[in-house]
Amino acid sequence: MTEMMDPTVEAPVAPGLPEKSDGKAMSKWTLYTRRFMRNKPAVGGIVIFLLLVLFAIFAPLIAEYDHIELDFLNLGTPPSLEHWFGTTPSGNDTFAQVAIGLQRSLMIAVTVSVGTTIISALVGTAAAYFGGWTEKITLTVIHFMMVIPSFLILSLLSNRSGGDWRVIALIMIFVVGWYFPARVIWTTALSLREREYIHAARYMGVRGMTIVVRHLLPNIGSLLVINFTLGIVGAVMAETGLSFIGFGVKIPDVSLGSLIGSGANTITSAPWLFYFPAAALTLLTVSMALVADGLRDALDPTSAAGGRA
């Protein structure tokens, strides 16, 4: 006669996950969150990033002037109670311009980072899984793109786009942003395609792209998260460089890069035009770098911080 299981007996804990105080296994997301929250610089970075996002969203709503409105009674005036960040020589409110510039830079950065992460993940894992001619052609294209001065291509195409931030974002995604992450993802996915669960799915007749999407991509999720975070920093810096030299977002629209570029010309006579957008850019890049470092430690079990529950 089959013995009935005693309901008071605790189920065994899954291997590889630490136990809670009650003996149950801790979920991996709870574990990742605990590791991340122990990293104080990373927590500070995400707080700074959220504050910048709130500033970009709500500052234009509370500003007395918009970023294109002119105040002819205050031309090139320093910060004051009326104009918190001062004004440009033309009478534009710098506070409103910095808010809109940060908003545009964030839109470009997040759009580019999402797009490049998706494309590079699909291309890299598909090349690793299918191998053969698919892998050879993909790697040939990637290596060819890596030796071309991508900034020059981006500058020329962006200049022809007329400075529309949406077109600039699409160019950064499909022309210059996807191939380096795809090369890294391909290297990582090579070690996964020989795993037992991949062979089992193949023998069961599962289609190739289904295996890529359902089995390979979830197992490199930590790498994709880190690539996404660092991609925001890279996109912001690329857009800033383009706008600084006049190939990015153009007037009447503004970005942090275009504001820094115009402020650099008046840094001795009106330094606030340079320092405020430069401070916003610095806070944005530093915060995302800290977040990426925290995510790496939290998601990587081999790191010093990641190895502790």
Side-chain angles (χ1 to χ4, degrees):
M1 187 176 188
T2 306
E3 297 182 0
M4 296 182 64
M5 181 177 293
D6 188 351
T8 62
V9 177
E10 295 288 347
V13 177
L17 291 177
E19 296 183 11
K20 298 181 183 178
S21 58
D22 58 2
K24 295 181 180 179
M26 183 188 305
S27 70
K28 64 177 181 179
W29 294 112
T30 304
L31 179 62
Y32 294 157
T33 303
R34 285 191 178 184
R35 291 172 177 172
F36 183 85
M37 296 302 293
R38 280 203 309 267
N39 192 323
K40 301 305 180 185
V43 174
I46 201 166
V47 169
I48 294 173
F49 177 73
L50 292 177
L51 290 176
L52 289 173
V53 171
L54 292 176
F55 175 78
I57 295 174
F58 294 106
L61 302 178
I62 65 174
E64 185 176 353
Y65 299 86
D66 62 28
H67 69 289
I68 59 176
E69 185 178 357
L70 301 178
D71 183 1
F72 294 106
L73 298 179
N74 293 279
L75 302 178
T77 57
S80 62
L81 293 177
E82 185 177 3
H83 297 279
W84 297 342
F85 289 0
T87 62
T88 67
S90 302
N92 298 103
D93 184 69
T94 309
F95 177 82
Q97 285 195 330
V98 171
I100 294 298
L102 178 60
Q103 190 179 105
R104 292 290 182 268
S105 295
L106 282 172
M107 287 180 178
I108 293 174
V110 173
T111 302
V112 170
S113 189
V114 170
T116 54
T117 300
I118 294 174
I119 294 175
S120 61
L122 291 174
V123 171
T125 52
Y129 173 76
F130 291 107
W133 285 105
T134 301
E135 186 177 45
K136 291 181 180 179
I137 294 174
T138 302
L139 292 180
T140 299
V141 173
I142 290 175
H143 293 158
F144 176 76
M145 294 296 295
M146 290 177 68
V147 299
I148 295 179
S150 58
F151 193 79
L152 295 179
I153 299 175
L154 188 57
S155 301
L156 293 175
L157 295 178
S158 299
N159 192 43
R160 291 179 176 271
S161 70
D164 189 337
W165 71 268
R166 301 172 187 84
V167 179
I168 293 174
L170 291 176
I171 294 172
M172 293 174 68
I173 292 172
F174 293 106
V175 179
V176 300
W178 63 272
Y179 52 83
F180 186 77
R183 180 66 169 77
V184 176
I185 291 171
W186 168 78
T187 304
T188 305
L190 282 178
S191 62
L192 298 177
R193 70 179 182 183
E194 301 302 328
R195 297 289 179 89
E196 291 79 3
Y197 58 88
I198 299 295
H199 289 298
R202 185 185 300 119
Y203 293 147
M204 291 174 64
V206 181
R207 296 178 57 185
M209 284 306 300
T210 303
I211 294 177
V212 168
V213 174
R214 291 187 179 179
H215 299 289
L216 284 178
L217 288 179
N219 283 281
I220 58 172
S222 59
L223 175 62
L224 298 182
V225 171
I226 296 172
N227 279 349
F228 168 76
T229 310
L230 293 177
I232 293 179
V233 178
V236 168
M237 298 305 295
E239 183 278 325
T240 300
L242 284 175
S243 299
F244 184 83
I245 62 177
F247 289 111
V249 178
K250 299 184 184 299
I251 297 176
D253 210 351
V254 293
S255 69
L256 292 181
S258 62
L259 293 176
I260 292 173
S262 59
N265 298 324
T266 60
I267 193 170
T268 55
S269 59
W272 59 88
L273 299 179
F274 176 82
Y275 288 131
F276 284 115
L281 175 65
T282 302
L283 289 174
L284 178 58
T285 55
V286 170
S287 65
M288 293 312 298
L290 293 175
V291 171
D293 186 65
L295 289 173
R296 182 200 63 195
D297 289 342
L299 299 175
D300 184 6
T302 63
S303 67
R308 302 191 304 270

